[in-house]
Every structure is written in structure tokens, then in C-alpha cells.
Amino acid sequence: MSQISLPSIEERTEKEYESIYLHSVILFNDSINEFSHVESCLMKICFKTKKEAKRIAIEAHTNGKAVCFVGSPEECETISEKLTKERLTVSISS
């Protein structure tokens, strides 16, 4: 008979903490902004490397949306406001 492995209390607590306090900023594809502008904003505002920014921009272009930042509700609000000022279309997901 095989044993079922349950997550430890630490693993469960960490996942619960993450799900309560971490939110995501979702970047949506649009036909207004140039790819280079989106990459630049992701690097400058979301603290992404060039490679990460390119991957996120491609994902948004291909799938219509992509997660570009994960953090606390306050951090996500700040990032969202900055990206919106750069004319990018974003939303916050909990």
C-alpha cells in the first residue's frame, strides 16, 4: 500500500500567506503600444530583466494577457498606476 504525502504545516501556511497577501498585475495586449515601449516599461517599472520583459511582452501579445508583477496589494496598485501612466492596459488580480 502506498503512503499519501501531505504538505507540512509550514508549506500550507506559506501557501495560505501567499494567496492572502500576494496579488498580480496583469498586462493586456493592445494595438497602440510598440513592443519596445512595453519591454522598456516592464524593465523600468516592474524591475524585469530584458529577457523577462521580452518573454512577458510576447506572452501578452500571443495570449492576450500576461502576469507582469506579483506582490502585495499596495505594491501592485503602485505598479499598476505607473504602467497606466505609460498608456499600458493593466489590471490587478488577487
Side-chain angles (χ1 to χ4, degrees):
M1 197 187 296
S2 64
Q3 293 181 338
I4 298 174
S5 176
L6 297 174
S8 69
I9 187 73
E10 291 85 11
E11 291 171 328
R12 288 194 313 258
T13 302
E14 185 176 327
K15 285 184 182 181
E16 289 172 7
Y17 172 82
E18 287 177 5
S19 66
I20 293 171
Y21 294 104
L22 293 184
H23 289 63
S24 301
V25 177
I26 311 297
L27 170 69
F28 291 92
N29 185 42
D30 63 38
S31 58
I32 300 167
N33 293 292
E34 292 186 13
F35 204 81
S36 60
H37 176 66
V38 174
E39 282 184 353
S40 176
C41 289
L42 291 172
M43 289 186 295
K44 179 176 62 177
I45 298 169
C46 298
F47 316 107
K48 302 298 181 189
T49 65
K50 176 91 170 154
K51 186 176 181 178
E52 291 170 326
K54 185 173 193 149
R55 182 194 55 77
I56 292 167
I58 289 170
E59 183 179 340
H61 179 73
T62 304
N63 300 329
K65 62 182 178 179
V67 174
C68 64
F69 184 83
V70 175
S72 70
E74 295 81 11
E75 291 172 317
C76 288
E77 187 65 36
T78 300
I79 295 294
S80 176
E81 288 173 4
K82 290 179 180 181
L83 291 172
T84 301
K85 284 182 183 177
E86 293 292 335
R87 301 178 51 113
L88 298 182
T89 305
V90 296
S91 71
I92 298 174
S93 174
S94 54

